[in-house]
Amino acid sequence: GQQVMQIPQYQHVQEGEDFTTYCNSSTTLSNIQWYKQRPGGHPVFLIQLVKSGEVKKQKRLTFQFGEAKKNSSLHITATQTTDVGTYFCAGSYSGAGSYQLTFGKGTKLSVIP
Amino acid sequence: GAVVSQHPSRVICKSGTSVKIECRSLDFQATTMFWYRQFPKQSLMLMATSNEGSKATYEQGVEKDKFLINHASLTLSTLTVTSAHPEDSSFYICSAMDPSGQPQHFGDGTRLSIL
């Protein structure tokens, strides 16, 4: 079946350092979404990328979708303690069940004050 | 924004008990809802897709007789874990598909602990 690989699994950074998490699919994605889950909480939608090579920014967060629509990244500039949580990418594929999401394993971000 | 309510948030019960979890879309109609299971420190695994007025579609390896799904209205889907056992202990999360198609809006999740 389709899989979305996400690395790294864990990332510990000093407050103020940058952070990046990467997702990769073996097959072309229809779109990719990013979610943030705080400890004990539920996933919260951050953004959706649809177009090849798309780049979107939300304050200190930069999201990229690869030209081949097989990979994506989330970059956080100058991390803050409020950024702590697990970041998941989730991809959709064309065809039957195209509305279903395949989640990556997530990257757990710890920020050391 | 769109809100999905999931109830209960926490269940602790004895082995053999059946547990029903409700998922409601509060301010939009959701023809499609999803049920996920998340083990500690792991990702969300799709269990089934719940379609209003029709049978749910289960992912491979998910027992449909074990995890009963009912999507009786455009705002409510229920997941019943029948005769739950300790290995069924997990975090169950539902989501409802936005009328525009994406994104999914998640409930707060239900932490199920079977003793």
Side-chain angles (χ1 to χ4, degrees):
Chain A
Q2 289 134 344
Q3 283 189 318
V4 174
M5 308 301 292
Q6 186 173 0
I7 59 168
Q9 191 173 357
Y10 301 96
Q11 186 79 58
H12 305 276
V13 300
Q14 202 77 35
E15 188 172 19
E17 292 182 340
D18 292 355
F19 158 77
T20 306
T21 173
Y22 302 90
C23 281
N24 184 67
S25 170
S26 56
T27 55
T28 303
L29 294 159
S30 173
N31 66 72
I32 193 159
Q33 300 174 25
W34 286 90
Y35 292 80
K36 177 183 179 181
Q37 185 176 24
R38 293 183 184 274
H42 65 277
V44 174
F45 173 77
L46 294 177
I47 210 158
Q48 176 177 277
L49 303 172
V50 179
K51 298 177 182 177
S52 168
E54 190 169 16
V55 178
K56 287 187 176 180
K57 292 191 176 184
Q58 290 179 350
K59 298 182 179 178
R60 293 178 294 106
L61 278 61
T62 302
F63 304 85
Q64 291 188 319
F65 201 10
E67 293 290 340
K69 298 183 71 172
K70 289 184 177 182
N71 56 74
S72 181
S73 65
L74 158 60
H75 179 81
I76 302 178
T77 304
T79 55
Q80 300 174 359
T81 54
T82 53
D83 296 326
V84 164
T86 301
Y87 293 84
F88 292 98
C89 61
S92 287
Y93 296 90
S94 299
S98 58
Y99 43 75
Q100 292 180 343
L101 292 175
T102 301
F103 279 81
K105 288 189 180 296
T107 297
K108 184 174 182 179
L109 173 63
S110 300
V111 179
I112 305 164
Chain B
V3 177
V4 173
S5 173
Q6 186 173 341
H7 178 81
S9 58
R10 178 81 192 235
V11 179
I12 303 172
C13 57
K14 294 181 179 179
S15 184
T17 307
S18 291
V19 178
K20 179 185 279 190
I21 304 169
E22 293 187 349
C23 182
R24 293 179 186 273
S25 56
L26 297 184
D27 54 358
F28 65 99
Q29 293 184 331
T31 55
T32 303
M33 291 186 175
F34 304 92
W35 288 97
Y36 295 86
R37 184 172 181 176
Q38 186 178 33
F39 289 105
K41 301 181 181 180
Q42 294 192 25
S43 188
L44 284 78
M45 299 300 297
L46 180 65
M47 298 174 65
T49 302
S50 170
N51 300 295
E52 188 267 337
S54 64
K55 290 183 179 181
T57 304
Y58 290 82
E59 295 300 300
Q60 193 172 8
V62 179
E63 300 175 57
K64 56 183 68 175
D65 294 331
K66 175 75 172 178
F67 300 99
L68 300 178
I69 292 173
N70 188 334
H71 194 153
S73 77
L74 286 171
T75 58
L76 174 64
S77 176
T78 62
L79 167 68
T80 301
V81 184
T82 61
S83 187
H85 293 285
E87 58 266 27
D88 298 322
S89 299
S90 189
F91 190 52
Y92 293 87
I93 310 177
C94 72
S95 72
M97 196 164 71
D98 189 274
S100 67
Q102 300 285 3
Q104 294 182 20
H105 303 283
F106 285 83
D108 287 338
T110 298
R111 196 162 301 279
L112 176 63
S113 300
I114 307 298
L115 306 177

